[in-house]
């Protein structure tokens, strides 16, 4: 029978701090979605508690990941979540499982979790993400989505949104309502200023 000891309290704190760092220090910093970040934290706490308390019945790692799959089918198939959010969900689960079943010393376990959070933070920086951002738009001028009218589509989107749109992809077409869901790629104003600064410096140096 699994007992609630000081070791459990320490592991719970390590798990909680690690998941909070991942969800709010990495995910929330770039996505600003407090609802999803909070859900990830609660999900990680739940996975840790279930895995730790059932660890006394010789739970294997395969059973732990199977438990995660069951939770995924029951809850997260009801709403569409992005690949990025699914990846963070997997990271939260991985941290919770490591804290629950790992035999590593507490300090090493925390360092591993911190390293995972650092990698997630690094991947979400502009160095890896590039200068472009993506925006989902509902578009009603259905005639402009034809491949031959792509130039007209880009020009219309730039004029109506005021964004420096460089590319557009059609995600979904609804012929019943004559609308389309578009994913537009654009350069934010702050990024344009950075790019302009870098491109103008060589010219100034020559002059």
């Amino acid at each position: 029978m699994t007992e609630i000891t000081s070791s459990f309290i320490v592991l719970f704190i390590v798990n909680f701090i690690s998941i909070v760092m991942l969800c709010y220090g990495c995910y929330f910093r770039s996505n600003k979605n407090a609802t999803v970040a909070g859900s990830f934290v609660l999900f990680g706490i739940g996975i840790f508690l279930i895995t730790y308390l059932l660890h006394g019945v010789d739970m294997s790692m395969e059973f732990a990941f199977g438990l995660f799959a069951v939770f995924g089918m029951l809850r997260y198939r009801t709403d569409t979540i992005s690949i990025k959010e699914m990846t963070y969900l997997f990271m939260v689960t991985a941290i919770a499982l490591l804290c629950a079943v790992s035999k590593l010393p507490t300090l090493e376990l925390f360092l591993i979790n911190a390293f995972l959070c650092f990698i997630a933070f690094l991947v979400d920086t502009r160095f890896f993400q590039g200068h472009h951002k993506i925006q989902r738009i509902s578009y009603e001028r259905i005639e402009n989505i034809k491949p031959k009218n792509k130039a007209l589509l880009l020009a219309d989107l730039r004029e109506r949104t005021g964004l420096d749109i460089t590319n557009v992809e059609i995600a979904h077409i609804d012929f019943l309502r004559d609308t389309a869901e578009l994913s537009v790629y654009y350069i934010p104003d702050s990024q344009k200023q950075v790019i302009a600064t870098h491109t103008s410096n060589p010219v100034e140096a020559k002059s």
Side-chain angles (χ1 to χ4, degrees):
M1 178 178 179
T2 303
E3 297 180 355
I4 305 299
T5 61
S6 59
S7 175
F8 166 79
I9 297 175
V10 171
L11 291 175
F12 180 85
I13 293 174
V14 170
N15 176 72
F16 180 76
I17 294 176
S18 302
I19 291 177
V20 168
M21 287 194 306
L22 177 67
C23 295
Y24 287 95
C26 301
Y27 175 81
F28 182 77
R29 179 185 60 86
S30 59
N31 294 272
K32 306 302 181 184
N33 193 329
T35 301
V36 174
S39 299
F40 284 166
V41 173
L42 294 176
F43 190 90
I45 293 174
I47 289 293
F48 169 80
L49 291 175
I50 293 174
T51 307
Y52 184 88
L53 295 176
L54 295 180
H55 186 57
V57 295
D58 297 327
M59 177 188 294
S60 65
M61 187 63 70
E62 292 81 4
F63 180 80
F65 275 100
L67 181 64
F68 160 69
V70 170
F71 277 105
M73 288 187 292
L74 289 177
R75 172 64 184 92
Y76 289 95
R77 285 179 62 89
T78 58
D79 295 322
T80 301
I81 63 176
S82 65
I83 295 177
K84 182 177 183 179
E85 290 174 346
M86 180 60 72
T87 303
Y88 270 99
L89 181 63
F90 177 80
M91 292 283 288
V92 167
T93 305
I95 290 176
L97 293 177
L98 282 175
C99 292
V101 303
S102 177
K103 301 300 182 181
L104 292 173
T106 303
L107 179 59
E108 293 183 9
L109 179 62
F110 182 77
L111 290 177
I112 290 176
N113 292 342
F115 178 73
L116 292 176
C117 294
F118 173 74
I119 294 298
F121 177 85
L122 193 64
V123 170
D124 262 345
T125 58
R126 292 174 181 175
F127 180 78
F128 283 90
Q129 295 294 329
H131 298 295
H132 289 78
K133 287 190 175 183
I134 304 175
Q135 178 69 45
R136 193 74 174 261
I137 294 177
S138 296
Y139 190 71
E140 85 285 359
R141 297 182 180 177
I142 199 72
E143 66 277 0
N144 285 347
I145 68 172
K146 297 178 181 179
K148 65 179 181 180
N149 294 333
K150 186 173 183 179
L152 294 175
L153 176 62
L154 289 173
D156 185 42
L157 290 172
R158 292 187 188 119
E159 180 181 357
R160 299 171 68 180
T161 62
L163 300 174
D164 185 9
I165 298 174
T166 59
N167 194 21
V168 60
E169 294 180 355
I170 301 173
H172 177 72
I173 301 175
D174 189 345
F175 286 110
L176 293 178
R177 297 180 177 87
D178 282 342
T179 59
E181 294 290 330
L182 306 178
S183 297
V184 297
Y185 298 79
Y186 68 96
I187 302 176
D189 293 337
S190 59
Q191 291 296 321
K192 287 192 291 183
Q193 292 174 1
V194 173
I195 295 173
T197 301
H198 287 312
T199 56
S200 63
N201 283 338
V203 177
E204 294 174 359
K206 291 180 180 180
S207 60

